[in-house]
Amino acid sequence: MTNFDPAFFVEVLVGGLLSGVMYALVAIGFVLVYKTSGVFNFAQGAMLLFAALTFVSLVEKGVPFALAFLVTLAVMALLGIAIERTVLRPLVNKPPITLFMATLGLAYVLEGSAQLLWGTQVHGLELGIDDKPFIIHGVLISSFDLFAAAVAAGMVALLAFVFQRTRIGLAFRAVADDQFAALAVGLRLPVIWSAVWIAAGFVALIAGLLWGARLGVQFSLSLVVLKALPVLVLGGFDSIPGAIVGGLLIGATEKLAEVYLGGYVGGGIESWCAYVFALGVLLIRPQGLFGQRLVERA
Amino acid sequence: MTNAYDAQQSRGLLPAWGYLLGIGVVAYGIVPLLASDYVYDAILAPFLALSLAAVGLNLLTGYAGQVSLGSAAFMAVGAFAAYNFNLRIDGLPFILSVLFAGLTAAGFGVVFGLPSLRLKGFYLALSTLAAQFFVEWALTKFDWFSNYNSSGVIDAPPIVIFGVPFSGPSGRYYFALTVVLLLSAFAARLVNTQTGRNFIAVRDNETAARIIGVPVFKTKLLAAAVSSFIIGIAGILWAFAYLRTVEPHGFNLDRSFEILFIIIIGGLATLRGAFLGAALIVVLPLVLSRIGTLLLGGYFNSGVLDMSQRILIGALIIVFLIVEPDGLAALWIRARNRFFGALTSRRPAREVTA
Amino acid sequence: MERHRKKTSFLSGLAASLTLFAGALTTSASADEQFFPLQSYRVGPYAAGGTGFFGGTIDYFNLINSRDGGVNGIKLTWDECETQYEVERGVECYERLKSHANIAAWNPLSVGIAYAMIDRITQDKVPLITINHGRTDSTDGRVFPYVFPLLLNPYSETSGIINYIAAKEGGEANLKGKKIVVLYHGSPYGKETIPIYELLSKKLGFTVQQIEVPHPGNEQQAQWLTIRQAKPDYVVLRGWGVMNPVALKTAQKTGFPADHIIGNVWSNSEEDVIPAGDAAVGYTAITTQASGAEYPVLQEIVKTLYDSGKGNLEDKKRIGSVYHNLGIVNGILNVEAVRIAQEKFGKRTLTGDEVRWGFEHLHLDEKRVADLGAKGLFHSINVTWDNHEGDGRVTFQQWDGKKWKVVSDWIAPDWKLLRPIIEKSSEAYAKEKGLKIRSAGDADKVTSIDVKGESTKN
Amino acid sequence: MSNFDQLLSVDRIFAIYNHSVAALHGVSLSVRTGEVRALLGANGAGKTTTLRAIANLLGAQRGSVTSGRIVFDGLDVLKMPPSTLVQAGLASVLEGRHVFKSLNVEENLIVGGLARGSRRSELSADLERIYALFPSLLPKRKIAAGLTSGGEQQMVAIGRALMSRPRLLILDEPSMGLAPIVVKGIFETLRALNRNDGLTILMAEQNAAIALRYADQATVIENGTDVLSDTADALRRGDYVKEFYLGSNVSTGIKREAGPQQPSAVSTSDELQTIAAE
């Protein structure tokens, strides 16, 4: 690397943070499900693919944008209920690893049916955002990424509202806190789990559309989960603020490392440096950034 | 995760050596009479390699309680290390290349096992992904590992042990079989020693284990080392006895998941489960694919069939986890006990050994 | 009673399925056909490419069968075996299908599967076609007698791209001082051309910076910001799958003009540009075959097959797409190799080794290409016993938002420059594997009767 | 006593954990409307398992009732999900309190009201009632329950259960880990609820002294079987409890040795469930 250019540094940093928002979007879907049901849902990526593929296929068949969105949302809701009925309920109280494996099986089913239903074609997806970059003080910023960040912020605000201000949100938090106690006080866990999976489906749809606009809607969409995993390691599996801050940190670190350190080892280090960074942080703070151990162990 | 079944593995109608003898006779004597090249190369070779990897992972996950999503990385380390030892040290017997490669993988296992000293559960599982991605990256990045092959692939050297060449489908089968049986016997022995009991103690309750004097850190690292050693050698079988040409990407995350699948489906903390699981994972897709092609090939193209198959396999996995969470090994024992229970009605069908 | 009946029906069901399974294991063959095992992939991350390519090849085989009644009366037959682009599935398919009689050639369209098959097909003496991909050094027929990276190997591709940029800049001399960034996929495939770009940069005086994108390539912010910083004149995209649309999108995001991005041969399909939307307009990529359905051979395929519902592609809009046309060209080359071998060995079912001989004499000049109804679809090919690539020419196509438009003549790579490098690599391989380097005389020794019968050499 | 005011009857239930570890070997007991019944027994005798069986919570602890019958107010308990039982008026306070640690005190209480689908006005009335019962909770209502004292957590847990307006309140070791003065306060409140509101109470206690002081009736469980049922007064005077207190477990000791079941399995099961519950 030649001499240090501060504007470029800021550009990389901002770009990294905005990419981080995209990672956080996927991570939030994991957190929702893990927090309330203890299931590490590896099928989140497949749900993303399923949602985006359903949406884009509907749009290509001439369904108006808004209607397609609603229909897809309804499909994801049905899917959430079906998953609760057929996968989660029979597996209640099984060890976490068994549930994790079941979601791997679920990922197979979802990927298979998405492609069987809608074909293996690669689709383009335009959300109507003109992605021309603009430049502030010599720092280039992508308008699409800003839009994505705004959507993510809106979604998080909506989730925060639901969690803090509604009965179902309170029930979510109670179940997340102590599942056995929630059962004992008479909360209907199946209903709450269905609701959570519906919420995860909603997050998958939003994330699927934003990622789909970046990658095109195709099978590889299911691979974006790999970008979310280090975020989870860093931010904690059970914390939405953790997912957001973790996403931002991972995004920024990954980009800065690739640009400034990658050159020394030949580049392409993004695939693993996020994990190493997350691990490094974890070894110092085993509870993660926002894990709720503090309250739990009081 | 506690398993009442492993305690009685060897408590069937026959003593342990009887089973071993039986397996040996079948594997060395009867299988070759029936097997074709297709069976050797497309079924038995991947079955043996994956079984061994599953045995290795089962030591770590089933017995010592640490979930790993990085098995394929250790397979890759084993395969590429063996290739390089064989290539770069003139006159080194092949068997020593294999051994050194296993030790290299064990070393990696210890390094990437270090986080287990502080992390647990899924945090630990995801931290093993660091190993997965790092190894894949490093093997692709540095040409030295593949002897500057412009395509980044390594080719299997001829397998010669003590002057005896193991070539051709059946030769490779005998080589893989021998390696798998030796290492499985070693693993079976290990889990019945104090070390093995330490593994289980650490898995069941780390604090309790520490109180009764189990060296927890040492035990965890030892589990990582032994497991990686075996998985590394499984990688050699995969690369040299099965595919014979591999690239780093062949050891990707999907393979790691596949091995984890095998031990979950087969049954955690049973060595038999590793073999049953591998059999299912290798054979089931083949059977489905063939039956599908045969029955429906005329009506649908291979894509539709394969997607249906994918759905079916995913659904089977879920159903299986629901119906038999303890895995095929438990199913096996239940079936066996029912069978023998009918034969010798005085024998109790199952004893609780908790 | 009830239970008993159930058991019986279960048992008979089991017996029936076992019979079926056994039936599936055995394969039947009749004497006057030539079999093509197809390790296709219609599922998984690369399904779009697989359906196009294998669809094209099958369409061409179908055309030959229904229009000509086969090749000189020998029917073409094939079986598909799904690989999902996974190596071990490909190997299993190989083992499954290899016992089939009358195999002409293998066409896996997957680098990984092809690598795993090299030893196997060499032993079984059946050609392995890796059109436009595969090991560069397998071009050297002296070391790799049964492997055919037809039309274009990765080194030729590199040379072709640089020649095109030179032409755009008004001649090789003007490359001096220019800066080219190569953005490559983080895999052996992606890295394969690194030394050639270095070599050409030294020879022609441009600077080259090669940047890796980690697999799968769905995130390229860091790479494109680096590119923005480096301000190159051209970016060469050596991508694969999802990496391509993301590269184009990110280029737009960071303000790099699409018409200065040149794609390689696996970054040149509709599937690579459509997901990128507007960001792909102006993007240019190398190809060995033109796209579009206006060529006579395609017209015949449409007329003979698609109009009567026998076409292989589900989506008729994809007729004439890059992968479909590559599949058709692949079909043409396979069929012509069989035809050429038949002229030598007789108009009958051939052995794999005889078809290999056919490929090693696969000489299709422009006139013959025109006769085949493919004038303009691809240029020509001249495979010999020691040159298994066949000196294919390349052209460049630009994406206008709806379709590819050819924007260059047929360009020849600098084969003379590349040949010594290839030989060095293949000789090293031969040494490592302890292989004998073949002579022209060896190449003419052909195993004529099926391997399973008595082998005779003539 | 006539049958209709029998609010809960447990009839010879057998329970196991993890499909194999036996925990209960035929426990029977009954609770009449308006009484306070104590369930006594040593650690690991099967008290907690019995209470969880009554609230049909065993399934969530990988346990199950293999035979026997439990009837609450005419409902076949083992066929009802816990939420239905809560709606029908059966509320549990779990061993170890199990408050929602990250939720604040008031949110904990509200969750207790969610199960019966209380309206907003009902909720606020119920909250007022709980704060009246446990005035010390009022100033802490916005504090995370996990950060309050053990006694306050017990109050939160009881208050949360009361939010569902139960007729039968089941408490598992309400005195566990609390200072005697706090324990006294809690038992006084429970007595007041019983006397004033007619709340029926079934509580498991290891601390037999205090339990017998506040209970009307008591049942003793040993090794997963009920061995004795009588009025609290009778039990307090009887030999059994004296033995029990003095720690001269002669009879129980013999019983354990001679019992047909494996004693180790029983104690393991309770350890298991304690681990699982944490």
Side-chain angles (χ1 to χ4, degrees):
Chain A
M1 293 284 128
T2 48
N3 47 345
F4 185 77
D5 173 0
F8 179 61
F9 178 84
V10 174
E11 198 168 285
V12 175
L13 182 66
V14 171
L17 290 173
L18 289 173
S19 297
V21 171
M22 298 293 289
Y23 304 166
L25 264 175
V26 183
I28 287 170
F30 277 93
V31 171
L32 273 178
V33 170
Y34 186 83
K35 209 171 148 65
T36 42
S37 57
V39 177
F40 187 85
N41 176 26
F42 203 80
Q44 187 70 25
M47 285 169 68
L48 215 95
L49 172 71
F50 192 93
L53 203 55
T54 306
F55 175 83
V56 85
S57 304
L58 288 172
V59 169
E60 281 177 9
K61 287 196 168 30
V63 180
F65 199 90
L67 185 63
F69 185 85
L70 289 177
V71 170
T72 312
L73 205 56
V75 170
M76 294 312 288
L78 287 177
L79 190 67
I81 294 168
I83 291 172
E84 194 278 324
R85 282 281 157 82
T86 55
V87 183
L88 293 185
R89 203 176 293 179
L91 282 172
V92 154
N93 295 316
K94 292 291 176 334
I97 182 77
T98 307
L99 285 158
F100 170 65
M101 285 289 136
T103 66
L104 277 174
L106 182 62
Y108 274 32
V109 174
L110 288 180
E111 286 164 8
S113 18
Q115 296 188 77
L116 199 59
L117 273 175
W118 304 117
T120 50
Q121 266 291 70
V122 174
H123 306 267
L125 174 61
E126 292 292 331
L127 296 177
I129 312 299
D130 196 18
D131 197 6
K132 292 285 180 297
F134 57 92
I135 293 180
I136 305 170
H137 298 298
V139 174
L140 173 139
I141 293 170
S142 148
S143 45
F144 180 85
D145 283 359
L146 276 186
F147 167 77
V151 170
M155 195 183 75
V156 170
L158 181 66
L159 287 176
F161 175 81
V162 169
F163 267 86
Q164 296 299 332
R165 302 281 163 188
T166 66
R167 285 188 173 203
I168 186 82
L170 184 61
F172 277 1
R173 284 191 292 142
V175 173
D177 188 298
D178 188 332
Q179 195 168 304
F180 188 52
L183 189 67
V185 302
L187 293 182
R188 277 177 295 169
L189 294 190
V191 173
I192 290 165
W193 285 333
S194 297
V196 165
W197 278 79
I198 291 171
F202 169 69
V203 174
L205 173 58
I206 301 284
L209 293 187
L210 290 174
W211 274 99
R214 289 181 127 207
L215 314 184
V217 178
Q218 53 179 305
F219 187 86
S220 302
L221 213 47
S222 60
L223 296 179
V224 301
V225 292
L226 297 181
K227 286 278 168 198
L229 297 183
V231 173
L232 292 169
V233 174
L234 185 62
F237 294 131
D238 49 5
S239 161
I240 289 182
I244 296 164
V245 177
L248 294 176
L249 273 175
I250 292 278
T253 314
E254 187 178 279
K255 302 296 173 238
L256 290 172
E258 180 73 56
V259 170
Y260 288 102
L261 303 177
Y264 296 104
V265 287
I269 62 174
E270 263 177 292
S271 60
W272 54 270
C273 78
Y275 286 92
V276 171
F277 172 67
L279 261 181
V281 174
L282 266 199
L283 291 181
I284 302 163
R285 277 182 61 87
Q287 66 273 43
L289 289 180
F290 289 86
Q292 296 188 337
R293 310 298 193 285
L294 185 90
V295 188
E296 271 176 30
R297 287 292 159 216
Chain B
M1 281 224 223
T2 40
N3 210 312
Y5 305 115
D6 42 341
Q8 21 172 296
Q9 255 182 200
S10 53
R11 230 192 263 173
L13 218 58
L14 290 166
W17 59 263
Y19 276 108
L20 279 180
L21 195 72
I23 291 171
V25 167
V26 171
Y28 284 99
I30 298 178
V31 168
L33 296 178
L34 304 171
S36 63
D37 282 5
Y38 171 76
V39 173
Y40 280 130
D41 273 345
I43 296 177
L44 289 174
F47 163 72
L48 286 170
L50 289 175
S51 298
L52 187 61
V55 165
L57 183 63
N58 219 336
L59 285 180
L60 186 71
T61 302
Y63 288 94
Q66 302 171 42
V67 178
S68 164
L69 302 175
S71 314
F74 299 112
M75 288 176 77
V77 169
F80 278 80
Y83 170 79
N84 279 297
F85 280 121
N86 190 65
L87 181 80
R88 290 173 202 286
I89 304 179
D90 261 341
L92 186 74
F94 182 78
I95 191 78
L96 284 183
S97 304
V98 171
L99 190 68
F100 289 166
L103 292 174
T104 311
F108 264 79
V110 170
V111 172
F112 285 102
L114 284 174
S116 71
L117 304 185
R118 292 206 62 171
L119 303 181
K120 288 204 177 68
F122 283 117
Y123 288 95
L124 178 62
L126 291 195
S127 79
T128 57
L129 286 176
Q132 176 67 49
F133 293 122
F134 177 78
V135 168
E136 220 180 307
W137 171 82
L139 291 178
T140 308
K141 188 86 232 171
F142 303 108
D143 294 335
W144 185 86
F145 291 118
S146 51
N147 196 21
Y148 304 100
N149 179 307
S150 62
S151 311
V153 299
I154 55 169
D155 284 294
I159 300 171
V160 180
I161 307 229
F162 301 124
V164 182
F166 287 82
S167 62
S170 59
R172 287 189 296 271
Y173 165 74
Y174 284 124
F175 167 70
L177 178 68
T178 310
V179 170
V180 169
L181 286 184
L182 285 177
L183 284 173
S184 303
F186 164 72
R189 187 80 202 86
L190 181 77
V191 298
N192 285 320
T193 61
Q194 184 57 43
T195 312
R197 284 190 284 276
N198 286 354
F199 285 1
I200 294 170
V202 169
R203 172 194 75 191
D204 287 348
N205 191 333
E206 206 176 307
T207 320
R210 188 171 292 123
I211 290 166
I212 60 168
V214 174
V216 171
F217 285 6
K218 214 180 107 192
T219 303
K220 282 184 171 178
L221 290 185
L222 188 68
V226 176
S227 153
S228 314
F229 178 84
I230 295 178
I231 295 175
I233 290 182
I236 299 175
L237 296 186
W238 183 265
F240 295 175
Y242 175 39
L243 291 180
R244 284 177 275 156
T245 310
V246 283
E247 47 174 342
H249 190 64
F251 298 102
N252 62 9
L253 186 60
D254 289 343
R255 180 107 322 105
S256 291
F257 279 139
E258 191 174 30
I259 297 164
L260 195 57
F261 258 136
I262 290 174
I263 66 167
I264 301 284
I265 300 260
L268 283 169
T270 84
L271 294 179
R272 177 187 290 128
F275 290 88
L276 294 173
L280 191 76
I281 290 286
V282 172
V283 175
L284 181 68
L286 298 184
V287 172
L288 283 179
S289 140
R290 294 209 144 186
I291 290 181
T293 313
L294 193 71
L295 294 182
L296 305 166
Y299 309 102
F300 302 102
N301 69 32
S302 69
V304 172
L305 289 178
D306 213 72
M307 279 179 272
S308 318
Q309 203 191 105
R310 203 178 175 80
I311 297 173
L312 191 61
I313 289 180
L316 278 178
I317 286 167
I318 295 172
V319 167
F320 190 80
L321 290 173
I322 291 170
V323 176
E324 189 51 78
D326 289 326
L328 287 167
L331 204 67
W332 170 274
I333 287 178
R334 196 164 307 149
R336 191 191 67 188
N337 284 341
R338 192 159 298 162
F339 181 66
F340 286 134
L343 285 184
T344 57
S345 51
R346 274 176 53 82
R347 181 178 289 268
R350 213 175 74 194
E351 293 162 33
V352 175
T353 50
Chain C
M1 277 305 279
E2 182 61 35
R3 175 178 289 181
H4 180 72
R5 196 181 310 148
K6 242 184 210 159
K7 206 177 239 173
T8 330
S9 71
F10 171 75
L11 281 177
S12 57
L14 189 72
S17 38
L18 278 179
T19 322
L20 283 174
F21 186 59
L25 286 169
T26 54
T27 42
S28 56
S30 68
D32 49 353
E33 57 181 47
Q34 198 75 55
F35 181 71
F36 288 88
L38 297 177
Q39 294 141 300
S40 61
Y41 44 99
R42 294 171 181 272
V43 188
Y46 308 113
T51 48
F53 176 83
F54 291 100
T57 301
I58 290 172
D59 278 343
Y60 190 74
F61 289 167
N62 259 327
L63 176 71
I64 294 296
N65 280 346
S66 44
R67 186 190 62 189
D68 309 344
V71 184
N72 296 319
I74 307 295
K75 280 260 182 197
L76 304 177
T77 59
W78 57 91
D79 259 352
E80 280 188 81
C81 179
E82 173 71 35
T83 68
Q84 297 191 8
Y85 201 75
E86 285 173 16
V87 176
E88 66 280 5
R89 275 171 167 264
V91 169
E92 191 273 327
C93 286
Y94 177 80
E95 298 294 340
R96 187 195 299 190
L97 294 174
K98 78 170 189 188
S99 57
H100 201 290
N102 314 329
I103 294 179
W106 296 84
N107 294 269
L109 197 75
S110 152
V111 178
I113 295 173
Y115 287 162
M117 286 167 67
I118 289 176
D119 276 358
R120 291 171 160 87
I121 53 102
T122 306
Q123 200 176 357
D124 295 347
K125 298 189 172 178
V126 185
L128 166 66
I129 312 307
T130 60
I131 187 167
N132 283 7
H133 65 286
R135 296 177 74 119
T136 302
D137 54 9
S138 64
T139 301
D140 188 351
R142 301 175 309 149
V143 176
F144 294 88
Y146 292 93
V147 187
F148 293 85
L150 294 179
L151 282 178
L152 187 69
N153 66 39
Y155 287 6
S156 302
E157 169 201 288
T158 304
S159 168
I161 289 173
I162 295 300
N163 287 354
Y164 170 68
I165 293 176
K168 253 186 112 167
E169 290 292 321
E172 270 185 10
N174 293 350
L175 281 179
K176 220 166 226 98
K178 289 283 183 295
K179 183 162 195 180
I180 296 175
V181 164
V182 181
L183 194 66
Y184 63 93
H185 186 250
S187 64
Y189 145 75
K191 289 173 60 212
E192 179 146 16
T193 55
I194 289 177
I196 299 307
Y197 279 108
E198 296 293 343
L199 179 89
L200 291 172
S201 99
K202 280 200 202 86
K203 185 173 169 246
L204 300 172
F206 60 89
T207 52
V208 69
Q209 183 180 353
Q210 310 208 40
I211 301 176
E212 178 175 326
V213 174
H215 174 82
N218 50 20
E219 183 54 47
Q220 297 172 27
Q221 190 85 2
Q223 288 78 8
W224 283 94
L225 285 175
T226 309
I227 290 171
R228 188 171 121 77
Q229 183 85 335
K231 300 190 180 66
D233 298 286
Y234 291 93
V235 171
V236 175
L237 183 57
R238 186 166 172 76
W240 177 226
V242 73
M243 173 182 159
N244 293 321
V246 175
L248 294 170
K249 281 256 178 185
T250 319
Q252 183 191 41
K253 195 187 281 184
T254 51
F256 192 88
D259 57 359
H260 280 66
I261 306 175
I262 315 291
N264 86 326
V265 79
W266 297 108
S267 313
N268 71 353
S269 70
E270 287 78 3
E271 285 74 18
D272 297 313
V273 288
I274 287 173
D278 292 344
V281 175
Y283 168 65
T284 309
I286 193 173
T287 184
T288 54
Q289 79 290 346
S291 57
E294 65 268 30
Y295 307 97
V297 58
L298 271 115
Q299 290 304 316
E300 287 192 46
I301 284 174
V302 170
K303 198 177 73 200
T304 329
L305 303 176
Y306 283 89
D307 288 352
S308 52
K310 285 189 290 186
N312 193 269
L313 293 179
E314 273 168 43
D315 183 356
K316 283 195 191 178
K317 285 201 291 285
R318 297 183 68 203
I319 298 170
S321 65
V322 169
Y323 277 121
H324 189 231
N325 283 6
L326 179 63
I328 290 172
V329 170
N330 190 57
I332 293 174
L333 299 181
N334 274 279
V335 167
E336 290 313 299
V338 169
R339 199 187 303 279
I340 287 165
Q342 280 183 356
E343 275 156 27
K344 160 99 175 165
F345 301 105
K347 297 184 170 52
R348 57 169 170 84
T349 301
L350 303 168
T351 66
D353 208 27
E354 287 165 341
V355 179
R356 187 265 306 162
W357 189 94
F359 274 107
E360 289 188 331
H361 295 80
L362 183 62
H363 176 66
L364 306 177
D365 55 16
E366 283 174 85
K367 186 181 168 300
R368 178 66 186 147
V369 171
D371 289 347
L372 291 166
K375 183 180 168 57
L377 180 62
F378 72 105
H379 187 265
S380 62
I381 191 164
N382 185 17
V383 184
T384 61
W385 72 274
D386 62 345
N387 174 358
H388 279 190
E389 178 198 34
D391 294 346
R393 291 185 189 216
V394 296
T395 182
F396 285 79
Q397 50 179 7
Q398 190 168 34
W399 182 250
D400 67 0
K402 293 220 159 51
K403 60 177 191 307
W404 291 106
K405 266 212 230 105
V406 173
V407 292
S408 81
D409 294 333
W410 292 99
I411 294 176
D414 195 345
W415 296 304
K416 273 204 198 75
L417 174 79
L418 303 171
R419 181 72 194 185
I421 310 169
I422 291 169
E423 288 187 359
K424 201 176 146 214
S425 168
S426 61
E427 280 162 14
Y429 175 85
K431 189 162 169 253
E432 186 192 314
K433 299 278 283 184
L435 298 176
K436 177 172 167 281
I437 292 181
R438 218 165 51 132
S439 68
D442 297 332
D444 277 335
K445 287 183 196 136
V446 176
T447 308
S448 266
I449 295 173
D450 206 311
V451 197
K452 278 182 272 324
E454 266 175 80
S455 304
T456 55
K457 295 193 170 155
N458 67 356
Chain D
M1 279 292 152
S2 60
N3 212 25
F4 64 84
D5 62 352
Q6 190 153 340
L7 187 58
L8 174 78
S9 80
V10 176
D11 190 14
R12 288 194 301 278
I13 54 168
F14 286 72
I16 59 171
Y17 284 101
N18 287 326
H19 301 292
S20 56
V21 187
L24 297 182
H25 312 289
V27 170
S28 299
L29 63 90
S30 63
V31 181
R32 277 172 309 201
T33 305
E35 76 175 11
V36 177
R37 179 173 288 272
L39 197 57
L40 304 177
N43 191 12
K47 302 188 298 290
T48 297
T49 307
T50 306
L51 295 192
R52 285 182 180 165
I54 292 169
N56 203 7
L57 291 170
L58 269 187
Q61 305 279 313
R62 296 201 222 174
S64 60
V65 172
T66 49
S67 75
R69 194 173 145 79
I70 302 173
V71 179
F72 168 71
D73 197 21
L75 293 173
D76 185 348
V77 164
L78 297 174
K79 290 198 178 117
M80 303 284 158
S83 55
T84 309
L85 295 173
V86 173
Q87 276 172 337
L90 188 155
S92 305
V93 177
L94 299 172
E95 181 186 25
R97 302 181 276 275
H98 276 280
V99 295
F100 300 119
K101 297 182 179 96
S102 63
L103 273 58
N104 67 33
V105 168
E106 187 152 306
E107 286 170 337
N108 262 278
L109 298 177
I110 294 173
V111 172
L114 290 181
R116 60 185 295 272
S118 301
R119 283 197 302 277
R120 197 169 281 272
S121 57
E122 287 175 323
L123 271 181
S124 53
D126 286 349
L127 280 175
E128 258 174 56
R129 189 167 146 255
I130 306 298
Y131 290 134
L133 280 173
F134 301 111
S136 64
L137 292 185
L138 191 58
K140 303 218 160 168
R141 44 194 277 263
K142 293 294 174 197
I143 290 176
L147 298 176
T148 60
S149 72
E152 285 157 351
Q153 289 191 19
Q154 188 62 272
M155 294 175 204
V156 170
I158 295 172
R160 187 177 64 186
L162 292 175
M163 288 293 286
S164 65
R165 301 188 180 176
R167 284 176 296 142
L168 172 63
L169 183 66
I170 296 177
L171 299 108
D172 196 354
E173 306 277 4
S175 76
M176 188 157 73
L178 300 180
I181 177 97
V182 180
V183 173
K184 185 159 182 280
I186 285 172
F187 275 91
E188 291 294 341
T189 310
L190 291 175
R191 172 179 281 172
L193 283 166
N194 174 252
R195 301 256 162 97
N196 305 338
D197 304 350
L199 179 69
T200 311
I201 293 176
L202 170 64
M203 60 170 135
E205 258 299 348
Q206 241 184 297
N207 184 344
I210 190 152
L212 292 177
R213 194 174 315 142
Y214 288 93
D216 306 316
Q217 303 283 328
T219 300
V220 178
I221 296 193
E222 249 178 43
N223 294 335
T225 323
D226 60 298
V227 291
L228 195 56
S229 256
D230 210 333
T231 65
D233 285 343
L235 271 175
R236 209 159 35 208
R237 285 190 302 271
D239 293 340
Y240 169 79
V241 173
K242 276 184 193 143
E243 254 175 47
F244 194 79
Y245 281 127
L246 293 170
S248 58
N249 275 1
V250 187
S251 64
T252 49
I254 288 167
K255 199 162 183 155
R256 276 185 192 180
E257 295 297 328
Q261 257 69 36
Q262 294 168 315
S264 63
V266 178
S267 66
T268 316
S269 76
D270 259 22
E271 273 160 29
L272 266 180
Q273 77 195 45
T274 331
I275 292 166
E278 263 161 27

